[in-house]
Amino acid sequence: MEYTSGAASWQKAMRRAVAALLPRRPRQRRPGWSIGVPLIAAAAGLLFTTTATTAGGTALREDRRPELTQLIEDRRERVEVSELRAARLRAEVESQTAALADTDGPISAERDRAQASELSAGFTALTGPGVTVELDDAARRSDGTLPKGATNDDLVVHQGDVQAVVNALWAGGAEAMSIMNVRVLTTSAVRCVGNTLLLHGRVYSPPFKIVAIGDPAALQQALAGSEGVRLFKQAVEHYQLGYSERVSTVSVPAFEDSTALRSATVPR
């Protein structure tokens, strides 16, 4: 028994010694994990890069309304600067034209022809009998609640409401018109951005005041017969929006915007 036990111990020692001398077989690595780690790291890096580029140094979830307000204010200031420059250039052209008209017959004739068209083109301020219409948003309740069945969209004046009044007044024979004391023509575009009015590059808040010179009876009849105006008056009754209409002697300023007409379509 002692011999057998000693032989077994000797054999085990020899196997350990031989195993120590032989090169170890490398462990097999799982190929999926070894490939997945670099891919995950690359995807994470791409995600971080895309997020940083999109944010541009700002918080992605930050409220951007202050930025929009600043953008509108910047554009308004640029429009005012451009209008002042345009007015100065028009004055220079008029001054030089008047100087040349004293000695140049053809220029004098064209100047007289242009001045004769200023009234019909809207370049002359006018005063006369007419109608004034005002549209306003509904007053907010002190507790912040809305009228039954109403949404925030129901409580503001929309672009279609202003257009309905303007179109009705033109159809009623308006000779001249202004919106927010800005002269408008039949080609003037009336647009709303939210609950503000965009007119000739400037933004106006309600109430929106529309003045038209013409036969007051015909103008009021056209307003009464307008489907769009009728629908707005129904909203006035249900949601307490503002609508007023009065007859008086009114004035509209001269048109001061660009007169360049790019295209026109004849209605069929």
Side-chain angles (χ1 to χ4, degrees), residues 156-193:
V156 298
V157 180
H158 293 282
Q159 176 177 319
D161 303 324
V162 179
Q163 287 179 331
V165 172
V166 171
N167 291 339
L169 292 172
W170 285 130
E175 300 173 11
M177 192 182 307
S178 68
I179 303 176
M180 304 301 286
N181 202 37
V182 176
R183 182 71 171 268
V184 295
L185 308 179
T186 54
T187 55
S188 298
V190 178
R191 298 187 179 92
C192 285
V193 181

Side-chain angles (χ1 to χ4, degrees), residues 125-132 175-176 211-216 247-252:
L126 294 177
T127 299
V131 172
T132 300
E175 300 173 11
V211 175
I213 294 179
D215 179 8
V247 174
S248 63
T249 299
V250 296
S251 298
V252 296

Side-chain angles (χ1 to χ4, degrees), residues 5-265:
S5 175
S9 300
W10 180 82
Q11 289 177 354
K12 290 180 180 179
M14 288 298 294
R15 282 198 297 267
R16 286 196 295 268
V18 172
L21 295 175
L22 294 176
R24 295 184 178 180
R25 187 174 65 179
R27 295 180 179 177
Q28 293 183 350
R29 298 181 179 179
R30 288 177 291 182
W33 179 254
S34 61
I35 296 174
V37 170
L39 289 178
I40 294 174
L46 178 62
L47 178 61
F48 293 149
T49 303
T50 303
T51 302
T53 303
T54 304
T58 63
L60 285 176
R61 301 186 66 181
E62 184 179 350
D63 191 354
R64 297 297 181 88
R65 283 176 294 182
E67 295 182 12
L68 179 59
T69 302
Q70 184 61 43
L71 176 61
I72 294 175
E73 182 65 20
D74 292 342
R75 292 300 176 88
R76 185 187 65 79
E77 293 178 356
R78 295 167 79 177
V79 168
E80 290 181 353
V81 172
S82 297
E83 288 179 344
L84 291 175
R85 181 171 180 270
R88 185 175 65 254
L89 292 175
R90 283 196 297 267
E92 292 178 3
V93 170
E94 181 63 25
S95 176
Q96 295 180 15
T97 301
L100 289 174
D102 293 337
T103 57
D104 192 307
I107 291 181
S108 178
E110 289 299 318
R111 183 169 180 264
D112 292 341
R113 187 173 69 87
Q115 288 179 340
S117 302
E118 286 184 351
L119 180 62
S120 58
F123 288 92
T124 303
L126 294 177
T127 299
V131 172
T132 300
V133 178
E134 286 193 12
L135 309 177
D136 197 2
D137 295 345
R140 299 294 180 180
R141 294 183 175 182
S142 58
D143 58 1
T145 61
L146 301 178
K148 184 178 180 180
T151 66
N152 288 323
D153 200 46
D154 296 321
L155 306 180
V156 298
V157 180
H158 293 282
Q159 176 177 319
D161 303 324
V162 179
Q163 287 179 331
V165 172
V166 171
N167 291 339
L169 292 172
W170 285 130
E175 300 173 11
M177 192 182 307
S178 68
I179 303 176
M180 304 301 286
N181 202 37
V182 176
R183 182 71 171 268
V184 295
L185 308 179
T186 54
T187 55
S188 298
V190 178
R191 298 187 179 92
C192 285
V193 181
N195 68 329
T196 60
L197 178 68
L198 180 63
L199 182 64
H200 296 181
R202 291 188 176 184
V203 178
Y204 300 92
S205 299
F208 302 129
K209 182 179 178 181
I210 306 165
V211 175
I213 294 179
D215 179 8
L219 295 176
Q220 288 189 304
Q221 183 178 358
L223 289 169
S226 168
E227 179 68 12
V229 176
R230 184 182 66 81
L231 292 175
F232 184 79
K233 288 181 178 179
Q234 289 181 356
V236 171
E237 295 178 1
H238 288 92
Y239 306 123
Q240 288 73 54
L241 282 87
Y243 181 88
S244 65
E245 180 183 314
R246 63 181 182 275
V247 174
S248 63
T249 299
V250 296
S251 298
V252 296
F255 183 76
E256 297 181 350
D257 199 40
S258 172
T259 57
L261 182 63
R262 295 181 176 85
S263 63
T265 301

